[in-house]
């Protein structure tokens, strides 16, 4: 009994031969000529047969090669089906870091479902923007399920709390003052907005933050130290100012100012 390969070769040869016969049969019959004319006619017929044979052979070979890559039974019987993989699904947003609220403190779990979904959607957008704009030294940015303005960055086993707040307020944020070891920097954002950045000592480590006024809201982006690891916030004031200038970051601020996610900040008389 012949092998599958012998059967494929025989089918290919038959296909080539039938195609050449059909093609040359359509050529006009040669007149009863002699000498050079008869010779040229024979050559023309031969060239057509060779050209068609080469084309058919190439197609047949491609078909055989394709079939050999498709699944089938060992005897090569039955229909051959091509299996096309479904496109990969979009990457799901990372799960939030769970932070247990302190006694009496509320969390995002206490929100109505629609409002919780709105805040989580904003957090997912913020994570993407912050991850793309903050320097690699910050590590991986994640949202938390405690507050809409609370995130966390992790790098080399260290965890740095991160606050991104766009909070309605009737009062402008206080400008940075270089007191008690605080170091300040400032820059002008698009639209003429003045932003202040600083490093703030906390014991032997430092926090870094940037703040500015946008519309009716006070905006703050702060990265805190990992005090347990005695590691300062791995970002400089200049780097946070670059984040604040970025159009993608300001788009987030604009969206949060138009539809606030945090309660209005109110000052306490005598506080």
């Amino acid at each position: 009994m012949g092998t599958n390969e012998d059967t494929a070769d025989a089918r290919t040869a038959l296909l080539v031969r039938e195609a050449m016969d059909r093609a040359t049969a359509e050529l006009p019959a040669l007149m009863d000529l002699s000498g050079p004319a008869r010779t040229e006619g024979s050559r023309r017929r031969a060239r057509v047969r060779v050209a068609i044979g080469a084309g058919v052979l190439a197609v047949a070979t491609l078909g055989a090669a394709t079939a050999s890559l498709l699944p089938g039974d060992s005897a090569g019987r039955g229909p051959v089906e091509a299996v096309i993989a479904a496109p990969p699904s979009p990457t799901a947003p990372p799960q939030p870091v769970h932070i247990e609220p302190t006694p009496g403190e509320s969390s995002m779990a206490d929100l109505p479902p629609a409002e919780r979904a709105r805040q989580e959607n904003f957090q997912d957008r913020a994570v993407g923007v912050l991850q793309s704009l903050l320097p690699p030294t910050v590590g991986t940015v994640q949202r938390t399920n405690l507050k809409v303005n609370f995130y966390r960055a992790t790098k080399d086993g260290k965890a740095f709390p991160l606050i991104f707040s766009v909070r309605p307020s009737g009062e402008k944020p206080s400008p940075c003052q270089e007191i008690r070891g605080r170091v300040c920097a400032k820059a002008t954002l698009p639209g003429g907005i003045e932003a202040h950045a600083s490093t703030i000592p906390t014991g032997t480590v430092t926090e870094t933050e940037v703040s500015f006024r946008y519309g009716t809201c006070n905006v703050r982006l702060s990265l805190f130290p990992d005090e347990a690891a005695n590691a300062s916030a791995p970002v400089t004031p200049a780097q946070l100012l670059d984040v604040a200038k970025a159009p993608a970051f300001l788009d987030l601020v604009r969206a949060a100012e138009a539809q606030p996610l945090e309660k209005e900040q109110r000052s306490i008389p005598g506080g």
Side-chain angles (χ1 to χ4, degrees):
M1 181 179 293
T3 64
N4 291 337
E5 184 176 354
D6 293 337
T7 302
D9 290 343
R11 290 176 179 173
T12 299
L14 180 59
L15 178 61
V16 172
R17 186 164 55 252
E18 289 178 349
M20 289 191 296
D21 289 342
R22 286 195 303 271
T24 55
E26 296 173 359
L27 293 175
L30 292 174
M31 297 177 61
D32 188 13
L33 301 175
S34 62
R38 183 184 295 276
T39 301
E40 179 59 27
S42 298
R43 288 176 179 172
R44 181 164 66 91
R45 186 180 288 269
R47 284 197 299 269
V48 172
R49 291 174 65 91
V50 170
I52 294 173
V56 174
L57 180 59
V59 173
T61 302
L62 177 61
T66 304
S68 67
L69 297 176
L70 298 176
D73 58 27
S74 59
R77 295 185 297 269
V80 178
E81 297 180 358
V83 179
I84 301 176
S89 59
T91 303
Q95 292 298 312
V97 177
H98 175 69
I99 297 180
E100 193 69 25
T102 58
E105 182 183 23
S106 62
S107 71
M108 293 177 68
D110 301 315
L111 295 171
E115 177 60 17
R116 180 178 178 180
R118 185 176 79 95
Q119 293 192 12
E120 288 176 345
N121 179 65
F122 180 85
Q123 283 185 313
D124 287 336
R125 290 176 55 198
V127 166
V129 171
L130 293 173
Q131 188 70 74
S132 67
L133 295 177
L134 288 168
T137 52
V138 171
T140 301
V141 179
Q142 295 172 276
R143 64 185 178 93
T144 74
N145 61 0
L146 183 63
K147 301 290 182 184
V148 68
N149 63 9
F150 196 21
Y151 303 78
R152 188 178 74 176
T154 55
K155 176 74 171 180
D156 298 331
K158 301 179 180 66
F160 305 98
L162 189 156
I163 295 291
F164 171 38
S165 172
V166 185
R167 189 171 185 181
S169 176
E171 299 180 359
K172 296 181 179 180
S174 301
C176 180
Q177 298 182 6
E178 292 189 330
I179 57 175
R180 300 176 183 175
R182 187 168 186 163
V183 179
C184 301
K186 67 178 181 178
T188 301
L189 308 184
I193 299 171
E194 187 174 273
H196 294 261
S198 61
T199 53
I200 306 166
T202 305
T204 59
V205 292
T206 56
E207 168 196 348
T208 308
E209 77 167 23
V210 64
S211 62
F212 56 92
R213 179 78 171 177
Y214 189 95
T216 60
C217 294
N218 291 337
V219 182
R220 175 188 172 199
L221 179 63
S222 301
L223 194 64
F224 293 86
D226 181 341
E227 295 185 356
N230 198 37
S232 296
V235 67
T236 67
Q239 288 171 325
L240 285 191
L241 286 172
D242 287 341
V243 172
K245 295 176 185 177
F249 181 78
L250 291 175
D251 283 345
L252 282 175
V253 172
R254 188 178 298 109
E257 193 265 347
Q259 295 184 324
L261 297 147
E262 301 178 61
K263 293 181 179 180
E264 184 177 357
Q265 181 179 358
R266 298 181 182 274
S267 60
I268 301 176

